[in-house]
Coordinates of all heavy atoms in Angstrom, one line a residue:
V1250 N -0.1 5.4 -3.1 CA -1.2 5.4 -2.2 C -1.5 6.9 -1.8 O -0.7 7.7 -1.9 CB -0.9 4.6 -0.9 CG1 -0.6 3.1 -1.3 CG2 0.2 5.2 -0.1
S1251 N -2.7 7.1 -1.3 CA -3.1 8.4 -0.9 C -2.6 8.8 0.4 O -2.2 7.9 1.2 CB -4.7 8.6 -0.9 OG -5.2 7.8 0.1
K1252 N -2.6 10.1 0.8 CA -2.1 10.5 2.1 C -3.0 9.9 3.2 O -2.5 9.5 4.2 CB -2.0 12.0 2.2 CG -1.4 12.5 3.4 CD -1.2 14.0 3.4 CE -0.4 14.5 4.6 NZ -0.1 16.0 4.5
T1253 N -4.3 9.9 2.9 CA -5.2 9.3 3.9 C -4.9 7.8 4.2 O -4.9 7.4 5.3 CB -6.7 9.5 3.4 OG1 -6.9 10.9 3.2 CG2 -7.7 8.9 4.4
T1254 N -4.7 7.1 3.1 CA -4.4 5.7 3.2 C -3.1 5.5 4.0 O -3.0 4.6 4.8 CB -4.3 5.0 1.8 OG1 -5.5 5.1 1.1 CG2 -3.9 3.6 1.9
A1255 N -2.1 6.3 3.7 CA -0.8 6.2 4.4 C -0.9 6.4 5.8 O -0.4 5.7 6.7 CB 0.2 7.1 3.8
I1256 N -1.7 7.4 6.2 CA -1.9 7.7 7.6 C -2.7 6.6 8.3 O -2.3 6.1 9.4 CB -2.6 9.1 7.8 CG1 -1.7 10.2 7.3 CG2 -3.0 9.3 9.3 CD1 -2.3 11.6 7.3
A1257 N -3.8 6.2 7.7 CA -4.6 5.2 8.3 C -3.9 3.9 8.4 O -4.0 3.2 9.4 CB -5.9 5.1 7.5
G1258 N -3.2 3.5 7.3 CA -2.5 2.3 7.3 C -1.4 2.2 8.3 O -1.1 1.2 8.9
T1259 N -0.7 3.3 8.6 CA 0.3 3.4 9.6 C -0.2 3.2 11.0 O 0.3 2.4 11.8 CB 1.1 4.8 9.5 OG1 1.7 4.9 8.2 CG2 2.2 4.8 10.6
L1260 N -1.4 3.8 11.2 CA -2.0 3.7 12.5 C -2.5 2.3 12.8 O -2.4 1.8 13.9 CB -3.2 4.7 12.7 CG -2.8 6.2 12.7 CD1 -4.1 7.0 12.6 CD2 -2.1 6.5 14.0
L1261 N -2.9 1.6 11.7 CA -3.5 0.3 11.9 C -2.5 -0.8 11.6 O -2.8 -2.0 11.6 CB -4.7 0.1 11.0 CG -5.9 1.0 11.3 CD1 -7.0 0.9 10.2 CD2 -6.5 0.7 12.6
S1262 N -1.2 -0.5 11.3 CA -0.2 -1.4 10.9 C -0.6 -2.2 9.7 O -0.3 -3.4 9.6 CB 0.1 -2.3 12.1 OG 1.4 -3.0 11.9
I1263 N -1.1 -1.5 8.7 CA -1.5 -2.2 7.4 C -0.3 -2.2 6.6 O 0.4 -1.2 6.4 CB -2.6 -1.5 6.7 CG1 -3.9 -1.4 7.6 CG2 -2.9 -2.1 5.4 CD1 -4.5 -2.8 7.9
K1264 N 0.0 -3.4 6.0 CA 1.2 -3.6 5.1 C 0.7 -4.1 3.8 O 0.0 -5.1 3.7 CB 2.2 -4.6 5.7 CG 2.5 -4.4 7.2 CD 3.3 -3.1 7.4 CE 3.6 -2.8 8.8 NZ 4.2 -1.5 9.0
P1265 N 1.1 -3.3 2.7 CA 0.6 -3.7 1.4 C 1.5 -4.9 0.8 O 2.6 -5.0 1.2 CB 0.8 -2.5 0.6 CG 2.0 -1.8 1.2 CD 1.8 -2.1 2.7
I1266 N 0.8 -5.7 0.0 CA 1.5 -6.7 -0.8 C 1.5 -6.3 -2.2 O 0.4 -6.0 -2.8 CB 0.9 -8.1 -0.6 CG1 0.7 -8.5 0.9 CG2 1.6 -9.2 -1.4 CD1 2.0 -8.6 1.6
L1267 N 2.7 -6.2 -2.8 CA 2.8 -5.7 -4.2 C 3.5 -6.7 -5.1 O 4.3 -7.5 -4.5 CB 3.5 -4.3 -4.2 CG 3.0 -3.2 -3.3 CD1 3.9 -3.2 -2.0 CD2 3.0 -1.9 -4.0
H1268 N 3.3 -6.6 -6.4 CA 4.2 -7.4 -7.3 C 4.4 -6.6 -8.6 O 3.7 -5.5 -8.8 CB 3.6 -8.7 -7.5 CG 2.5 -8.8 -8.6 ND1 2.5 -9.8 -9.5 CD2 1.5 -8.0 -8.8 CE1 1.5 -9.6 -10.4 NE2 0.8 -8.5 -9.9
V1269 N 5.3 -7.1 -9.4 CA 5.5 -6.5 -10.7 C 4.7 -7.3 -11.7 O 4.8 -8.6 -11.8 CB 7.0 -6.5 -11.1 CG1 7.2 -6.1 -12.5 CG2 7.8 -5.5 -10.2
D1270 N 3.9 -6.6 -12.5 CA 3.0 -7.4 -13.4 C 3.6 -7.6 -14.8 O 4.8 -7.4 -15.0 CB 1.7 -6.6 -13.6 CG 1.8 -5.3 -14.3 OD1 2.9 -5.0 -14.9 OD2 0.8 -4.5 -14.4
N1271 N 2.9 -8.2 -15.7 CA 3.4 -8.6 -17.0 C 3.9 -7.4 -17.9 O 4.7 -7.6 -18.8 CB 2.4 -9.4 -17.8 CG 2.2 -10.7 -17.3 OD1 2.9 -11.2 -16.4 ND2 1.1 -11.4 -17.7
E1272 N 3.5 -6.2 -17.5 CA 3.9 -5.0 -18.2 C 5.1 -4.4 -17.5 O 5.6 -3.3 -18.0 CB 2.8 -4.0 -18.4 CG 1.8 -4.3 -19.4 CD 0.9 -5.5 -19.0 OE1 0.4 -5.4 -17.9 OE2 0.7 -6.4 -19.8
G1273 N 5.6 -5.0 -16.4 CA 6.7 -4.5 -15.7 C 6.4 -3.3 -14.8 O 7.3 -2.6 -14.3

């Protein structure tokens, strides 16, 4: 994620949902 996204996400308590795809 970008630095801007990390800062904004932290301030807004945004939590990403991630997964491992078919290519690993």
Side-chain angles (χ1 to χ4, degrees):
V1250 301
S1251 68
K1252 187 170 185 177
T1253 300
T1254 298
I1256 293 171
T1259 299
L1260 291 172
L1261 297 172
S1262 193
I1263 299 298
K1264 309 298 180 186
I1266 306 301
L1267 309 98
H1268 83 134
V1269 171
D1270 68 7
N1271 287 350
E1272 283 73 49

